[in-house]
Amino acid sequence: MMTPSDVKATLSFSDGSASMDLPLYKGTIGPDVIDIRKLYAQTGKFTYDPGFLSTASCNSTITYIDGDKGELLYRGYPIEQLAVNCDFLDTCHLLLYGDLPNADQRTDFHGRVTNHTMVNEQMQFFLRGFRRDAHPMAILTGLVGALSAFYHDSTDINNPEHRDIAAIRLIAKMPTLVAMAYKYTVGQPYMYPQNDLSYAGNFMRMMFATPCEDYKVNPVIERALDRIFILHADHEQNASTSTVRLCGSSGTNPFAAIAAGVACLWGPSHGGANEACLNMLGDIQKMGGVAKVGEFMNQVKDKNSGVKLMGFGHRVYKNYDPRAKLMRETCHEVLGELGLQNDPLFKLAMELEKIALEDDYFVARKLYPNVDFYSGIVQRAIGIPVPLFTAIFALARTVGWIAQLNEMIGDPEYKIGRPRQLFVGAGRRDVPPLSAR
Ligand code: CMC
């Protein structure tokens, strides 16, 4: 809840125009906000903050990040505790409904999600329209958008029951869609969901099983995948979540709003970083591996090279990303289970991390490994192809997107999002005749 503060911010101008008092609000934790909603009406001026460096776009009760401490809380619970004591579907319940499920709620929620894992059979024909070599994120953006054409009974966003069923459907169907996108690109038959398996186990089977052989879920890999899902489930107002909120603020179909989130996540500065990180490790490996790390780091530090250390740095974390610590632990477990401790890319990643954590360039800029630095190595070890990494991220983040979308729509104060601009183009002018142009 936003609590008004006794303190007011006073905005004054050096040209003698009247100053203005702006109200301040306190959150539960984190910085106060200055309420500028009446600024334009009272001063005729906008604020300017491209990239939202200092702007809170909403109030929210879902996720809190303290970037300086390296802390991430879902509904108040630290990510370290959730990753160890809960599974992904418990986390989904937490994000959607505000608290962890008790035993009855757990059975009910797991059952509801499980009952929605199949997708309409027509989706297969829709999928067939894609080239076999299409990027999985291109396919996923299309498939999620297409869901809006299949579920006409859950699209009244003003009806809380419709919002709830759309959320359950999205969480349930994302693994099926991601696995279908993968099977399509490798030319294997789709595997239907098997509902007596866990959420992660079912996904593994849909990905890696074929109709010709029995498939046994490896519990270490199952747990690792579940952890990847938990760690990526929400991350407050990042680019894709803000995209979903902005898109959904027009009152659009919820599946279409989530498709917008998938599209935004694809970019290499956001969810695409895990794919970019693994490609970077592969490139250094081709250059000569660990011996070439110094040379590569010099390129990263040279501003003119355009080379970045992918998997490092974060807009909010100015400390070690807490998700990266957990993913590092999972990385060791998975590589141990699969006998890949000597994997050259893993060794290379460890070397890069060591150097970067000691190098002045990274220390001065507070650049630490983010979750993507390790998640790619884990996924690759599990057998997930590199271009599918961001689709796995999208699968996991879907619950965060829909929880944030539903929170926004349920807020009586919500309005369509409509940023302003500082116009710096040509002033009004007349169209000259063609001969004079
Ligand atoms: N490698 C080298 N230099 C970097 C890096 C990096 N990965 N990240 C930031 N910097 C430098 C940047 O050049 C700037 O230097 P200077 O002050 O000398 O101009 C300084 O650090 C501050 O960076 P910034 O670009 O102002 O920071 P930002 O908040 O706009 O960008 C970021 C954040 C995540 C886009 C950026 O750190 C980056 O591109 N990292 C690599 C991509 C990546 O791993 N993204 C995944 C983010 S975590 C998953 C998710 O939430 O989606």
Side-chain angles (χ1 to χ4, degrees), residues 53 232 235 238 265 267-274 276-277 300-301 303 307-318 321 323 361-362 365 367 370-373 393 397:
L53 295 176
H232 288 85
H235 215 226
N238 54 80
L265 187 76
S269 296
H270 192 7
N274 50 19
C277 180
V300 169
K301 291 189 277 182
K303 290 274 170 205
V307 178
K308 273 191 171 174
L309 181 55
M310 300 313 284
F312 259 71
H314 199 275
R315 170 63 60 81
V316 182
Y317 293 120
K318 300 302 167 200
D321 178 343
R323 304 168 300 171
Y361 175 95
F362 294 90
R365 289 170 179 76
L367 299 171
N370 58 52
V371 65
D372 290 326
F373 194 68
F393 190 161
R397 183 55 60 83

